Amino acid sequence: MTLLGWTQILAFALAVLLLTRPVGAYLHRVFEGDRQPLPRILGPVERCAHRLCGVDPRAEQSWRQYALALLVFSALGVLVTYLIQRTQHLLPLNPQDLAAVDPALAFNTAVSFATNTNWQAYAGESTMSYLTQMAGLAWHNFTSAGAGLGVALALARGLTRRPGADGAPSKTIGNFWVDLIRSILYVLLPISILGALFLVSQGVIQDLSAYRELTALEGAKQILAMGPVASQEAIKELGTNGGGFFNANSAHPFENPTPLTNFFELLLIFLLPAGLTHTFGRMARDTRQGWVIFAAMAVLFFAGVSAAYWAESQGNPALAGVPVDQSAGNLEGKEVRFGVAGSALFATVTTDASCGAVNSMHDSFTPLGGLVPLVNIQLGEVVFGGVGAGLYGILVMALLSVFIAGLMVGRTPEYLGKKIEARELKLAMLYVLIFPLVTLVLSAWSAVASYGLSSLNNAGPHGLTEILYAYTSGAENNGSAFAGLDANTPWWNLTQGLAMLVGRFLMIVPALAIAGSMAGKKVVPAGPGTFPTNGALFTFLLVCVVVIVGALTFFPALSLGPVVEHFLASAGRAF
Amino acid sequence: MAAPKTKAIALFDRGILERAALESVRKLSPRHMLRNPVMFVVEIGCVLTTVLWVRDLFFSSPSAPLWFSASVTLWLWFTVVFANFAEAMAEGRGKAQAESLRKTREETSAIRRVDGQEETVPSSRLRKGDIVIVEAGMLIPGDGEVVEGVASVDESAITGESAPVIRESGGDRSAVTGGTKVLSDRITVRITSNPEESFLDRMIALVEGASRQRTPNEIALHILLVGLTLVFLFACVTLVPLALYSGVELSATAVVALLVCLIPTTIGGLLSAIGIAGMDRVLGRNVIALSGRAVEAAGDVDVLLLDKTGTITLGNRMATELLPLPGVRVDDLADAAQLASLADETPEGRSIVVLAKERYRLRARDVTRLGATFIPFSAHTRMSGCDLDGRTIRKGAVDAIRAHVEKLGGRVPDGLADMADRIADAGGTPLAVSDGDRVLGLVHLKDVVKGGIRERFARFRAMGIRTVMITGDNPRTAAAIAAEAGVDDFMAEATPERKMTLIREEQARGKLVAMTGDGTNDAPALAQADVGVAMNTGTQAAKEAGNMVDLDSNPTKLLEVVEVGKQLLMTRGNLTTFSIANDVAKYFAILPALFSGVYPEIAPLNVMRLASPLSAVLAAVIFNAVIIILLIPLALRGVRYRPLGAAALLRRSLLVYGLGGVVAPFLGIMAIDRVLQAMGWV
């Protein structure tokens, strides 16, 4: 570990901290304010969009209506993207004449992007035409992030809304269409455009030309894939999507050319999830409620990044005693321009948030270094997390924390003055159960089935980690790959598609249901007997609950994967 | 406060222990176990490992030694039995407490009046609406209401209070309880409940589990526990194929052992015992809770409405000071005040006589011997006193005395009104004393606040509970008493309607309200309040409307009920935390043991240095079972309640039950492992 490395990490953390308040305030103004920003320019566009879609911006929805709108919208998106892939050879903007995408892969990819997972069982440059990338995939990069944002806002509204002036409880949690349109118009599009321009200035390419053939220094012919990269790159990070234009994702020099772009891309990943905690605080009329959640996330972030950076700096334990210079740490599978710190930071951030972009090969990390991204995802992607998904995920954890704390202080638990009762707990447990169920069952199945094992490139615990990582990443909608696994087989395409669908929508529905049932509750004023959720003690409790729920579930499986691999590697066995 | 009626039952009473041991085996029936999904999963695991053990015994050569799977199986069964034992203990204690109450309700005969005829019937045949006659020396055959007559009744069987109480038809003192004894006179009672429906029976049924319903928080906690059980079920079942991939063949016994250790058996096994014990503790304080929900709600109460009289102050006002007008000797005032009060049998009157005697050394005199004519209090004159040797001595309300003196041609000094105001400001009632046409001065009658009540209210404030005093006094008096007693708020000139409005207002703001009441006009408010404690001396209507009945009729009891309610939730919450925290150590015990055969390099994970894989698994299973037994006393007694703020309370509990929950099993499992080793078992 070096001073420079830590400076990089701390500078990043500081930048996130400084941006949280302004971004959070901006989001609050966009979604909860009476006057949206730039009313002269964007106001007419928004009204026009509402009119075109037949949306009444003042009509709010119940949680069921909200969920239905989201599900129907997502289903249509999956269908359209599937059709574009299947017919891309007939459509324009395909200078390389790429063929139609195979049905199982097309299904997997359509689901992957609609669920904000962006798991890629394909290599972008050799599979997807420019039109597919821009219309089919980038569309979801915006809308899936917008939908996630909407769910988070809906849950925050449910938790923070007070009964109206007439005392009648609120039964609505916002309007999906309004949230979606506003998220794209005021948040995702403007920041993406600015971000893309910045990336272009740093050397990220943006064109529609055919691939170029070059002669390399040593005289070999090389084909350079081209494309509209910058425009896709910004939203890839901002929307915590992570689906790279190229197969090498953010390790590719055309996607992420310099340490500065690396820093910028990392910042884009955490920008909205961090800001949302402050938005939540504003909605709760107590910004400390937001900062407490931010603090819990920050604790988990630092734990992860420290562990990963430390493990990677140690070098590969299996190579101890071999004449290999490991003074710079474990550099296998890393870009030298990012180094160990920049790679460990990226791996932590991309798996904390449900981004899934990568700038290094997680498969080549040391066993413990590779454990960090895996555990990050298994914590439920609540360490800042996906756009929206991070906030609604941690709010569900907060409900569980408050429940236990409430019992421990001898009072029916309440969060922000609203009582947590059997119904909310049932929904929260459902939310918590879905992810381990899908991940463990599919991993266990694949670990003993020939069609699962045939995709493995590594044996022993490392192979098991690859399987576990794949389903973890799919079910939790992260989308990063540990790699080392041939994911483009019918079994993997279909089961991953299923894992992504279940992991996204079967968790969103309970989250919205909680929003609906909390919205209608009476608010109990806080007193000295109420457990305060805006202090350090709550941060501590929240961190414990997140770690315990995640760790207790996956510890047995992890102990057979990276944990045992670490001990074996230390004893000189490699896989 | 009355002496506790049910004598404290020893935590490990021999009789209860024996019955509970028997009961804990009987409760193994699946029908009973299904009510508790966590323990049901354990039982299924037990059946599975037992069947496998029998199979291994006769048919196949097992991978693990037979003695090992037999011991694991045995201890898994113990886990279930211990949990049942905890529940049976709680029930047994509750029954014992109820039993001592029930003794008072043994079969008695009653004289029933039917169509003017009197007949003797066993009390069990009485039905609601029957009219019975109870004479001196007889037991009252059932809960009822006096419709005719007045009698003194010994209610010590129920309340522990030895002094007899008066029960009479009409008014607030008409309710009688079955099992109490009429000492004098004869009353006619209308039975108000069928024998099996009386409060005692309802309470006994609740404790016995026949009609026990889960409380809202218990249901919510159950959902959490079932959810955790499912999570661990996934984790353990999928571990089999994952291990198979790694070349480890896990035996079903080992997987079941891991599962049972991970699922929250500690809290799952003690949950119902905690709930029943809460009811027991309320009953131990002579309060009959009509539902478990009421006890739990008591722990959540935000506002307590307390009647001033009887709860905050001693029932009667007492004379505390004599204030002569300028120019009057205080001895003259004392003399006149005492003469005016000699024949006055009201507590206020007697307190004046006592004050004059103790403070001014005036011996009490006999009115008749003095030849005085006693003038009793009348609502018309609002004065009382006596006529003696031509003197007309009167005492009464200030304006009544003023009118009386002015009628006789006297003049009231200007200072009197100011003096009266000062007394009222201090929360007292001024009583003027006159001799002839001359006002002598004032008697300061004061409400005496009960000792220790201020500290009690301070405790409540620390818990976040607001106390509101309800009184019919004028605002000035009320404010002074409120300040002296240390309540947070008061309602003066209260009427039943205003009380009701206050409860509704607080509830509309999301608060939970508790109140005590005894009169018929309290019934609507008792029903409206979230926790309504009716006094046993109260009317039947009040008792039906509330959700608890206090046998001692001691309104401060509400405070104890609140603490029991909080304790109930805290015991559950703390043991849940403990149970989950335990899993960390169990992982470190069992997982290295399971995988060390194929991956000996994993040895550093065996941080407890357990002797062998077999002893590691066995030690974890034994710890998991034994901890249930060890925690039974805590479950039955409840965790200690401290009136701290929520954050301080949580910090302390996290330290004890969270950190303790992580550390304790490390030590426990290590110790058990060493013992097994020393005994040469492993």
Side-chain angles (χ1 to χ4, degrees):
Chain A
M1 291 189 278
T2 61
L3 184 64
L4 195 66
W6 276 112
T7 313
Q8 224 182 105
I9 291 167
L10 291 176
F12 168 71
L14 187 68
V16 171
L17 179 66
L18 291 178
L19 283 169
T20 295
R21 198 188 158 89
V23 170
Y26 179 78
L27 290 174
H28 188 257
R29 186 169 164 203
V30 168
F31 293 102
E32 296 291 286
D34 297 327
R35 251 173 93 79
Q36 277 62 41
L38 296 177
R40 290 265 175 82
I41 309 160
L42 295 180
V45 183
E46 185 189 347
R47 281 192 292 279
C48 178
H50 285 155
R51 218 163 297 141
L52 272 178
C53 303
V55 174
D56 175 5
R58 278 153 309 176
E60 291 228 330
Q61 294 169 320
S62 70
W63 79 264
R64 284 198 177 82
Q65 293 166 319
Y66 201 102
L68 188 68
L70 187 148
L71 291 177
V72 169
F73 177 76
S74 304
L76 283 176
V78 170
L79 189 67
V80 170
T81 307
Y82 178 81
L83 291 177
I84 292 178
Q85 291 177 81
R86 297 287 294 135
T87 56
Q88 68 173 4
H89 56 294
L90 307 172
L91 298 171
L93 285 178
N94 187 358
Q96 294 306 116
D97 289 327
L98 295 167
V101 182
D102 164 74
L105 178 60
F107 159 75
N108 180 288
T109 308
V111 166
S112 167
F113 278 73
T115 56
N116 197 258
T117 312
N118 300 31
W119 169 264
Q120 294 170 292
Y122 61 90
E125 54 270 49
S126 57
T127 317
M128 302 296 175
S129 73
Y130 291 162
L131 183 82
T132 308
Q133 294 256 28
M134 295 196 299
L137 304 185
W139 160 262
H140 284 295
N141 282 355
F142 284 95
T143 55
S144 67
L149 206 58
V151 175
L153 290 165
L155 181 54
R157 287 183 194 123
L159 290 172
T160 58
R161 276 198 178 166
R162 305 281 167 87
D166 53 348
S170 158
K171 290 212 158 53
T172 57
I173 52 172
N175 182 317
F176 173 71
W177 308 111
V178 175
D179 287 343
L180 183 69
I181 290 170
R182 284 191 180 158
S183 68
I184 294 173
L185 187 62
Y186 292 104
V187 182
L188 299 171
L189 262 180
I191 304 179
S192 295
I193 290 172
L194 295 176
L197 287 175
F198 174 77
L199 288 172
V200 167
S201 79
Q202 297 300 307
V204 177
I205 62 169
Q206 176 80 7
D207 62 25
L208 294 173
S209 58
Y211 296 172
R212 284 196 210 165
E213 202 176 283
L214 293 178
T215 310
L217 281 177
E218 60 269 36
K221 294 276 182 204
Q222 189 183 359
I223 294 177
L224 277 190
M226 309 301 290
V229 179
S231 59
Q232 209 124 321
E233 192 65 21
I235 187 66
K236 177 185 100 181
E237 267 86 25
L238 181 68
T240 62
N241 295 289
F245 195 90
F246 301 117
N247 192 33
N249 211 308
S250 280
H252 197 295
F254 284 175
E255 284 202 24
N256 188 8
T258 67
L260 181 63
T261 56
N262 195 50
F263 189 87
F264 179 71
E265 288 184 8
L266 285 170
L267 215 49
L268 281 184
I269 296 176
F270 271 3
L271 191 68
L272 296 179
L276 270 174
T277 61
H278 184 68
T279 312
F280 173 69
R282 291 198 164 217
M283 288 168 79
R285 297 163 203 84
D286 174 9
T287 50
R288 286 179 50 157
Q289 299 282 1
W291 287 116
V292 157
I293 287 174
F294 179 93
M297 293 172 160
V299 168
L300 290 167
F301 162 73
F302 273 109
V305 78
S306 310
Y309 185 32
W310 172 82
E312 291 311 294
S313 305
Q314 298 303 304
N316 189 342
L319 295 179
V322 180
V324 174
D325 177 18
Q326 292 209 74
S327 59
N330 173 32
L331 276 174
E332 183 196 311
K334 295 189 177 60
E335 294 292 304
V336 177
R337 67 181 184 282
F338 305 132
V340 169
S343 301
L345 178 62
F346 204 107
T348 309
V349 168
T350 196
T351 50
D352 276 343
S354 103
C355 182
V358 289
N359 76 349
S360 57
M361 192 79 158
H362 293 181
D363 198 28
S364 297
F365 275 35
T366 61
L368 292 185
L371 178 68
V372 171
L374 185 52
V375 168
N376 276 342
I377 307 175
Q378 288 173 344
L379 292 182
E381 304 239 280
V382 293
V383 188
F384 297 102
V387 172
L391 184 66
Y392 65 71
I394 201 137
L395 287 179
V396 171
M397 292 294 155
L399 288 183
L400 289 180
S401 313
V402 166
F403 179 75
I404 296 196
L407 290 187
M408 288 180 82
V409 300
R411 227 182 126 84
T412 294
E414 53 208 41
Y415 187 42
L416 303 177
K418 295 190 174 187
K419 283 201 170 11
I420 302 166
E421 289 159 301
R423 179 180 158 79
E424 292 78 52
L425 209 65
K426 208 178 284 176
L427 292 166
M429 284 318 284
L430 192 65
Y431 180 97
V432 169
L433 281 175
I434 291 293
F435 168 56
L437 176 68
V438 176
T439 308
L440 287 173
V441 168
L442 288 177
S443 300
W445 190 336
S446 296
V448 286
S450 58
Y451 38 85
L453 291 170
S454 61
S455 289
L456 283 186
N457 293 334
N458 296 81
H462 199 76
L464 193 66
T465 310
E466 287 169 356
I467 294 175
L468 192 61
Y469 195 106
Y471 286 117
T472 301
S473 172
E476 202 43 270
N477 301 141
N478 181 278
S480 69
F482 202 59
L485 181 84
D486 174 17
N488 191 11
T489 67
W491 165 256
W492 282 93
N493 273 331
L494 291 177
T495 51
Q496 272 289 48
L498 184 75
M500 292 186 282
L501 279 178
V502 171
R504 171 81 168 180
F505 297 110
L506 280 192
M507 290 168 87
I508 279 184
V509 171
L512 285 175
I514 293 175
S517 83
M518 293 302 278
K521 295 209 175 196
K522 276 197 281 191
V523 175
V524 188
T530 327
F531 168 61
T533 54
N534 58 3
L537 190 61
F538 185 65
T539 296
F540 172 75
L541 196 72
L542 188 54
V543 168
C544 288
V545 167
V546 168
V547 169
I548 281 175
V549 169
L552 288 186
T553 317
F554 289 103
F555 194 68
L558 289 176
S559 65
L560 280 171
V563 174
V564 93
E565 192 191 348
H566 169 76
F567 289 114
L568 294 177
S570 307
R573 284 171 69 186
F575 295 90
Chain B
M1 194 179 297
K5 162 203 42 64
T6 45
K7 58 176 194 299
I9 292 166
L11 196 53
F12 290 109
D13 179 88
R14 198 187 155 88
I16 295 177
L17 277 178
E18 279 166 6
R19 248 168 299 149
L22 211 68
E23 195 66 8
S24 57
V25 178
R26 210 181 56 78
K27 280 173 185 277
L28 286 175
S29 99
R31 198 168 349 140
H32 176 264
M33 295 301 295
L34 259 176
R35 290 185 48 160
N36 185 344
V38 180
M39 295 317 287
F40 188 61
V41 168
V42 181
E43 187 170 39
I44 291 176
C46 291
V47 172
L48 186 68
T49 56
T50 310
V51 169
L52 289 178
W53 184 77
V54 171
R55 186 201 62 183
D56 288 347
L57 187 63
F58 293 111
F59 302 110
S60 57
S61 52
S63 49
L66 275 174
W67 68 262
F68 169 72
S69 38
S71 337
V72 169
T73 304
L74 198 64
W75 278 99
L76 291 181
W77 278 112
F78 279 155
T79 314
V80 186
V81 171
F82 289 171
N84 286 344
F85 180 72
E87 187 181 276
M89 279 285 292
E91 285 175 357
R93 284 164 56 78
K95 270 187 224 169
Q97 235 140 16
E99 210 67 42
S100 64
L101 284 178
R102 207 206 282 270
K103 281 214 183 84
T104 62
R105 306 174 32 76
E106 271 165 8
E107 203 66 346
T108 50
S109 56
I111 306 167
R112 181 164 63 179
R113 193 163 68 194
V114 187
D115 305 327
Q117 301 284 319
E118 290 182 2
E119 57 178 14
T120 306
V121 293
S123 65
S124 60
R125 282 183 46 203
L126 291 176
R127 284 291 167 270
K128 194 166 170 174
D130 280 355
I131 304 288
V132 295
I133 317 278
V134 192
E135 293 181 334
M138 283 177 69
L139 287 178
I140 297 174
D143 291 356
E145 204 166 346
V146 180
V147 289
E148 207 182 302
V150 49
S152 64
V153 178
D154 173 8
E155 293 196 337
S156 61
I158 300 289
T159 64
E161 186 77 74
S162 52
V165 290
I166 299 295
R167 292 286 173 259
E168 61 191 352
S169 61
D172 289 355
R173 295 192 295 180
S174 66
V176 288
T177 311
T180 55
K181 195 176 191 176
V182 174
L183 293 177
S184 70
D185 304 289
R186 170 190 160 108
I187 46 174
T188 308
V189 175
R190 189 195 303 118
I191 298 296
T192 48
S193 64
N194 292 330
E196 68 277 13
E197 284 173 4
S198 72
F199 290 117
L200 260 177
D201 290 308
R202 270 153 77 177
M203 176 83 184
I204 290 169
L206 273 177
V207 169
E208 284 177 343
S211 62
R212 192 169 74 233
Q213 281 184 323
R214 293 214 180 105
T215 58
N217 278 316
E218 209 175 344
I219 293 170
L221 183 55
H222 242 283
I223 293 167
L224 180 78
L225 297 182
V226 170
L228 285 173
T229 305
L230 283 175
V231 166
F232 289 120
L233 202 60
F234 301 156
C236 290
V237 170
T238 56
L239 190 61
V240 177
L242 290 175
L244 213 57
Y245 165 96
S246 314
V248 180
E249 257 191 70
L250 294 177
S251 70
T253 309
V255 176
V256 171
L258 177 65
L259 176 67
V260 170
C261 285
L262 294 182
I263 62 176
T265 50
T266 313
I267 177 67
L270 294 173
L271 193 56
S272 62
I274 296 170
I276 302 167
M279 306 272 298
D280 293 354
R281 285 201 298 279
V282 173
L283 187 58
R285 287 168 169 81
N286 289 355
V287 175
I288 295 179
L290 302 182
S291 71
R293 189 183 283 252
V295 180
E296 201 178 86
D300 275 344
V301 158
D302 303 283
V303 183
L304 291 185
L305 302 190
L306 299 162
D307 273 328
K308 183 198 78 176
T309 309
T311 308
I312 294 170
T313 61
L314 297 169
N316 309 306
R317 287 175 295 195
M318 312 263 282
T320 55
E321 209 181 344
L322 295 178
L323 300 166
L325 279 168
V328 180
R329 280 178 45 225
V330 71
D331 289 346
D332 291 344
L333 174 61
D335 180 59
Q338 195 191 42
L339 283 173
S341 307
L342 279 177
D344 186 352
E345 283 302 316
T346 65
E348 286 91 351
R350 266 178 288 168
S351 77
I352 295 174
V353 177
V354 171
L355 180 75
K357 186 166 92 182
E358 289 181 350
R359 185 90 60 84
Y360 304 99
R361 285 179 291 281
L362 287 176
R363 295 206 29 217
R365 291 155 284 186
D366 192 329
V367 196
T368 39
R369 187 141 359 117
L370 287 171
T373 320
F374 178 59
I375 312 290
F377 178 85
S378 85
H380 179 64
T381 61
R382 292 189 295 143
M383 296 183 299
S384 64
C386 67
D387 292 338
L388 171 69
D389 305 335
R391 290 165 72 190
T392 48
I393 302 171
R394 294 288 183 276
K395 70 173 199 294
V398 175
D399 52 343
I401 293 291
R402 180 193 299 270
H404 163 75
V405 168
E406 281 170 355
K407 211 172 77 185
L408 293 178
R411 211 183 64 81
V412 179
D414 298 333
L416 188 71
D418 287 345
M419 279 168 65
D421 282 350
R422 270 200 300 280
I423 290 175
D425 283 345
T429 309
L431 208 60
V433 180
S434 64
D435 187 351
D437 63 354
R438 190 161 154 251
V439 181
L440 299 176
L442 295 174
V443 179
H444 183 166
L445 287 180
K446 197 177 165 192
D447 263 316
V448 180
V449 171
K450 285 185 175 175
I453 202 92
R454 210 185 158 84
E455 291 70 33
R456 265 209 134 132
F457 291 152
R459 250 169 101 90
F460 275 95
R461 202 162 307 117
M463 289 156 68
I465 297 174
R466 212 160 59 86
T467 43
V468 180
M469 183 182 84
I470 308 286
T471 171
D473 291 344
N474 64 58
R476 243 186 351 216
T477 312
I481 297 171
E484 189 180 345
V487 292
D488 297 308
D489 203 351
F490 65 89
M491 175 190 252
E493 288 162 358
T495 60
E497 295 75 39
R498 291 193 55 203
K499 221 176 192 176
M500 194 70 177
T501 317
L502 179 66
I503 295 177
R504 289 228 178 88
E505 276 171 15
E506 295 285 358
Q507 285 174 335
R509 273 186 271 155
K511 307 237 172 153
L512 253 63
V513 182
M515 69 165 284
T516 57
D518 49 9
T520 305
N521 57 15
D522 281 335
L526 279 171
Q528 177 72 33
D530 301 282
V531 177
V533 183
M535 298 297 108
N536 196 42
T537 50
T539 56
Q540 194 63 27
K543 287 201 253 181
E544 291 288 346
N547 42 23
M548 290 190 209
V549 179
D550 179 8
L551 297 176
D552 297 343
S553 304
N554 171 4
T556 45
K557 200 70 80 55
L558 191 52
L559 314 185
E560 290 173 42
V561 175
V562 169
E563 293 196 352
V564 171
K566 285 201 174 290
Q567 253 189 338
L568 191 64
L569 290 187
M570 285 168 61
T571 310
R572 285 193 203 128
N574 289 343
L575 287 185
T576 304
T577 305
F578 184 82
S579 195
I580 297 171
N582 272 345
D583 282 355
V584 178
K586 290 171 184 166
Y587 268 134
F588 277 100
I590 299 183
L591 287 182
L594 295 185
F595 305 141
S596 62
V598 173
Y599 295 126
E601 294 86 349
I602 208 170
L605 267 191
N606 180 6
V607 291
M608 286 172 268
R609 298 276 160 261
L610 303 176
S612 72
L614 297 186
S615 82
V617 174
L618 194 53
V621 172
I622 293 177
F623 175 83
N624 194 53
V626 168
I627 195 75
I628 295 181
I629 286 285
L630 292 181
L631 289 175
I632 287 179
L634 184 72
L636 296 188
R637 267 198 311 248
V639 299
R640 216 166 113 203
Y641 178 74
R642 288 162 217 272
L644 295 173
L649 210 55
L650 186 69
R651 215 171 295 130
R652 182 185 279 269
S653 298
L654 277 179
L655 201 66
V656 176
Y657 296 95
L659 190 65
V662 173
V663 174
F666 273 104
L667 302 176
I669 292 174
M670 268 170 81
I672 294 172
D673 173 75
R674 302 297 187 268
V675 169
L676 289 176
Q677 222 179 321
M679 287 163 60
W681 275 42
V682 286

